[in-house]
Amino acid sequence: MENKFQENLEFAKTLDQRDPLKDFRSRFHVKEEEIYMDGNSLGLSSHDAQASIKRVAKDWENEGIKIWGMEKGRYFNYPKLVGEKLAHLIGAEAKEIILNGSITTNLHQALATFYKPDQDRYKILVDELNFPTDIYAVKSLINLKGYTEDEALVTVTSKDGREILEEDIIEAMKDDVALILLPSVLYRSAQLINMEQITEEAHKRGIIIGWDLAHSIGAIPHNFKKIDPDFAVWCTYKYLNGGPGSVGGLYINRKHFTREAGLKGWFGNRDDRQFRLEHCFEQAEDAGGWLQGSPHMLSIAPLEGSLKIFEEAGIQRIREKSLIITEYLMFLAEKRLLKWGYKIGNPRENHRRGGHVSLEHEEAYRISLALRDHGVVPDYREPNVIRLAPVALYNTYEEVFRLVEILEKIAEEKIFQKYSLERGTVL
Ligand SMILES: *Cc1c(COP(=O)(O)O)cnc(C)c1O
């Protein structure tokens, strides 16, 4: 790291000039007076996303009910049509992807489909650092099937509160485990779990495994052909910049197309049957079988526009820049921030870290309030983490340089002491 980077502003500007993705910044609604570091919670709006929202709004205005049939069913098939454009990001087949609901509802759908406990195998394996909603969904299904959490939930613990070790996950794969649900990247520490290794080990033991890609899709390429998981879920409002509350995604491995969807709905019918309106359900023969109700047109629309940018930029180049810009942030943090009580809480190795830097400080909460008043939009996670995501498509090296200057100033001059410790509802 020492030789690769320098500690001055000129160097940051040079990195920006050399950045092969630099032109994409102008596609987004970036405020020059603000340093937006929260693309891992809600990606920025783009001109492309705004245009596709306007197009759907206009088509509704002009067509009324006829919107469904226009352009050979463009909108009737919208969840699949836009879902297909995600396939290259995770190395899956278009037919294995649908857009519907949210991570939470797609998890309920996937668990209702794949969790079939019997006397011998009835446990679900999770990790203690996953996001709460994933755990709530798992617990709901365990209860629905008549078990208690004590009986059927296995939780892999973390030794340091930051990371979950692959060997500990494998160790917990006992004969009574029916299903595993894990995040690809841990939302607090940005640890990237070795999905290929874990999936292979699960399958060796006959265990179904699904991944939550919330913090990797759009930041890290996946090769699902190779990893071969059973299912996956994700949201589209984080790195995919689909907008607040944009539609969720569900991947069903093609080898499971013949399974019955756990939670059926009329949009899961074969296309040629749906409008016969018969009470007998004939499931579509691809991931479309897992659709439920009418497609969320207005929350798929911005994603359609946003995905154009990913097609042009390419997920490999996005990951390359993301690795360099986060490494640059860690380099500057080591030079200027460690002495003020900050710690780097994410793994350092490229193959073990996601798209954000997890900066820890015992005053993290009040520092993140002070950051806002200094024109930075960070993201705070209890109890002591400031998550900083310099996003490859729209953040610059100069912004990272300025961010570190501000972080140093807030700690050095103890500016955070002006703020109350009382917590608001969302930060
Ligand atoms: C962001 C996130 C969620 C959010 O779930 P929604 O149902 O989309 O609100 C769930 N799980 C993880 C791991 C997340 O990071």
Side-chain angles (χ1 to χ4, degrees):
M1 246 196 239
E2 280 304 314
N3 306 325
K4 196 162 169 183
F5 299 120
Q6 294 168 26
E7 218 187 311
N8 55 68
L9 178 60
E10 282 321 301
F11 185 74
K13 289 184 175 172
T14 310
L15 288 175
D16 282 324
Q17 279 156 13
R18 288 196 212 136
D19 174 6
L21 298 180
K22 63 174 183 274
D23 292 340
F24 287 102
R25 181 172 163 91
S26 64
R27 302 272 283 270
F28 290 87
H29 297 98
V30 177
K31 290 189 189 142
E32 284 310 325
E33 70 283 5
E34 184 178 87
I35 302 178
Y36 195 80
M37 284 286 146
D38 207 2
N40 60 330
S41 277
L42 183 69
L44 284 181
S45 157
S46 61
H47 298 285
D48 303 73
Q50 295 287 339
S52 54
I53 295 172
K54 283 187 191 127
R55 175 169 173 195
V56 175
K58 202 74 201 164
D59 287 340
W60 173 31
E61 187 182 317
N62 291 336
E63 304 289 329
I65 186 73
K66 287 178 287 177
I67 189 173
W68 295 112
M70 64 182 283
E71 292 178 27
K72 298 195 188 125
R74 168 181 159 78
Y75 288 118
F76 182 72
N77 289 314
Y78 209 40
K80 292 184 217 164
L81 209 102
V82 180
E84 283 176 13
K85 297 179 198 292
L86 283 162
H88 71 107
L89 298 176
I90 60 171
E93 284 175 44
K95 284 182 175 307
E96 294 173 311
I97 295 173
I98 53 150
L99 295 172
N100 190 49
S102 64
I103 289 188
T104 312
T105 64
N106 285 328
L107 270 177
H108 280 286
Q109 170 68 294
L111 292 167
T113 303
F114 289 103
Y115 179 47
K116 305 284 178 195
D118 61 28
Q119 259 186 337
D120 301 322
R121 280 185 189 267
Y122 56 94
K123 293 191 177 171
I124 300 186
L125 192 155
V126 296
D127 70 281
E128 76 166 338
L129 300 181
N130 202 346
F131 193 77
T133 205
D134 298 51
I135 305 301
Y136 303 156
V138 166
K139 288 181 178 176
S140 306
L141 261 290
I142 283 177
N143 295 153
L144 264 174
K145 297 285 182 182
Y147 297 93
T148 63
E149 289 157 40
D150 287 347
E151 285 166 338
L153 188 69
V154 182
T155 306
V156 181
T157 54
S158 163
K159 295 206 167 64
D160 61 359
R162 292 172 174 151
E163 295 184 19
I164 299 286
L165 301 181
E166 278 83 0
E167 63 228 47
D168 292 344
I169 301 172
I170 296 167
E171 165 96 29
M173 294 181 190
K174 302 280 195 266
D175 289 346
D176 52 8
V177 173
L179 186 145
I180 299 173
L181 172 70
L182 293 168
S184 50
V185 170
L186 297 185
Y187 77 98
R188 233 192 249 110
S189 71
Q191 180 200 346
L192 171 60
I193 295 180
N194 187 335
M195 295 168 69
E196 200 177 327
Q197 180 196 13
I198 296 296
T199 305
E200 194 185 330
E201 293 293 334
H203 285 164
K204 265 193 221 163
R205 294 162 176 78
I207 305 172
I208 291 277
I209 179 161
W211 294 94
D212 182 337
L213 311 179
H215 283 276
S216 62
I217 194 161
I220 301 173
H222 294 303
N223 185 349
F224 269 24
K225 281 263 142 28
K226 207 158 161 222
I227 300 171
D228 202 32
D230 296 291
F231 69 90
V233 295
W234 59 89
C235 55
T236 61
Y237 46 79
K238 290 173 179 162
Y239 289 105
L240 290 176
N241 312 314
S246 59
V247 71
L250 175 63
Y251 159 93
I252 301 283
N253 189 313
R254 68 150 44 246
K255 69 185 174 202
H256 297 303
F257 284 172
T258 52
R259 276 185 187 247
E260 247 185 85
L263 304 173
K264 300 178 187 61
W266 72 309
F267 266 76
N269 264 312
R270 283 170 43 171
D271 288 355
D272 57 337
R273 299 288 159 129
Q274 181 172 351
F275 280 91
R276 294 191 189 177
L277 301 178
E278 287 161 358
H279 284 190
C280 115
F281 177 78
E282 277 197 57
Q283 191 168 319
E285 283 147 4
D286 55 22
W290 277 260
L291 285 168
Q292 293 167 322
S294 301
H296 315 305
M297 310 296 291
L298 298 172
S299 73
I300 299 175
L303 184 64
E304 186 188 10
S306 171
L307 288 175
K308 281 190 198 147
I309 301 178
F310 285 84
E311 265 169 50
E312 289 171 43
I315 188 66
Q316 298 293 346
R317 287 203 300 169
I318 289 173
R319 175 63 168 161
E320 278 160 31
K321 175 173 169 189
S322 165
L323 282 171
I324 301 171
I325 199 166
T326 47
E327 191 180 340
Y328 176 60
L329 173 51
M330 292 190 286
F331 163 83
L332 291 177
E334 281 191 334
K335 294 277 178 201
R336 303 182 62 168
L337 301 182
L338 300 191
K339 59 177 172 269
W340 302 113
Y342 292 96
K343 286 197 200 99
I344 296 173
N346 53 278
R348 301 299 182 91
E349 310 94 306
N350 281 357
H351 69 282
R352 295 192 65 237
R353 62 193 172 86
H356 70 271
V357 169
S358 173
L359 209 55
E360 299 170 357
H361 194 288
E362 59 180 29
E363 284 291 350
Y365 177 69
R366 293 200 290 178
I367 291 173
S368 58
L369 295 179
L371 280 171
R372 293 204 162 208
D373 287 343
H374 284 74
V376 177
V377 182
D379 171 291
Y380 170 73
R381 284 294 174 265
E382 293 285 353
N384 64 342
V385 174
I386 304 167
R387 294 191 305 187
L388 299 165
V391 172
L393 287 171
Y394 50 77
N395 284 117
T396 64
Y397 293 89
E398 182 173 340
E399 285 179 311
V400 170
F401 181 87
R402 296 200 186 283
L403 163 73
V404 172
E405 269 188 339
I406 296 168
L407 282 162
E408 182 174 27
K409 181 179 151 90
I410 290 170
E412 183 181 2
E413 296 173 20
K414 299 203 177 347
I415 294 173
F416 59 82
Q417 286 178 346
K418 287 195 293 194
Y419 296 84
S420 157
L421 280 164
E422 222 162 280
R423 306 296 203 251
T425 43
V426 182
L427 188 85

